[in-house]
Amino acid sequence: MKEDYIQLKEQLFLSQFTRAERQVFEFALDQRSVHETAKILHKEEETIKKIRRKILRKLEVSSMKSAIELYEKVAHRGTPTSSFFNDERVKNVCVFRKSWGDVEETS
């Protein structure tokens, strides 16, 4: 249950990003540099920097280090409560995951 809770919180956090932003952020989580990320994604370094700036604006932080700290704080703290699972955003993530066959029904 706790693993599902953490996974849902991670997905909720990442759902605010576009696909490109999510990819770049995930490389940042893996401590990949702008240069490494650009090379892996076959993009210009300036494109990666632009995407990182968009991420920082969305999260209202000033550095990628702060963005990662925020992610860790949001995604990996706390324990599940009924209010968390009753949140519409959580329900939408659950529905999305079920539509992809990602979640087993427990009835």
Side-chain angles (χ1 to χ4, degrees):
M1 169 98 168
K2 185 156 183 163
E3 295 83 21
D4 288 339
Y5 174 70
I6 291 171
Q7 190 174 25
L8 281 172
K9 285 176 71 174
E10 289 172 351
Q11 288 180 348
L12 280 172
F13 187 92
L14 296 173
S15 70
Q16 65 190 306
F17 300 138
T18 65
R19 188 171 135 252
E21 290 165 347
R22 199 168 27 256
Q23 283 181 316
V24 169
F25 189 72
E26 287 172 353
F27 280 114
L29 288 172
D30 289 338
Q31 299 184 0
R32 298 286 187 152
S33 68
V34 169
H35 177 75
E36 290 172 312
T37 302
K39 192 172 183 178
I40 293 167
L41 296 177
H42 305 287
K43 304 234 182 246
E44 296 292 327
E45 285 185 34
E46 200 53 46
T47 302
I48 301 304
K49 289 178 185 178
K50 182 179 176 183
I51 293 170
R52 281 181 167 219
R53 284 191 297 271
K54 287 181 181 179
I55 292 168
L56 299 181
R57 276 196 302 274
K58 282 185 178 182
L59 298 178
E60 298 178 0
V61 295
S62 59
S63 69
M64 194 53 71
K65 180 181 177 186
S66 295
I68 292 168
E69 289 171 354
L70 178 62
Y71 169 80
E72 293 294 333
K73 179 180 176 183
V74 169
H76 296 280
R77 283 208 182 143
T79 55
T81 62
S82 60
S83 63
F84 174 81
F85 290 105
N86 289 325
D87 186 300
E88 284 302 313
R89 294 170 297 173
V90 173
K91 289 179 183 178
N92 290 339
V93 170
C94 290
V95 168
F96 174 77
R97 288 181 66 206
K98 285 179 187 175
S99 71
W100 282 89
D102 216 16
V103 175
E104 292 181 20
E105 292 293 328
T106 54
S107 302

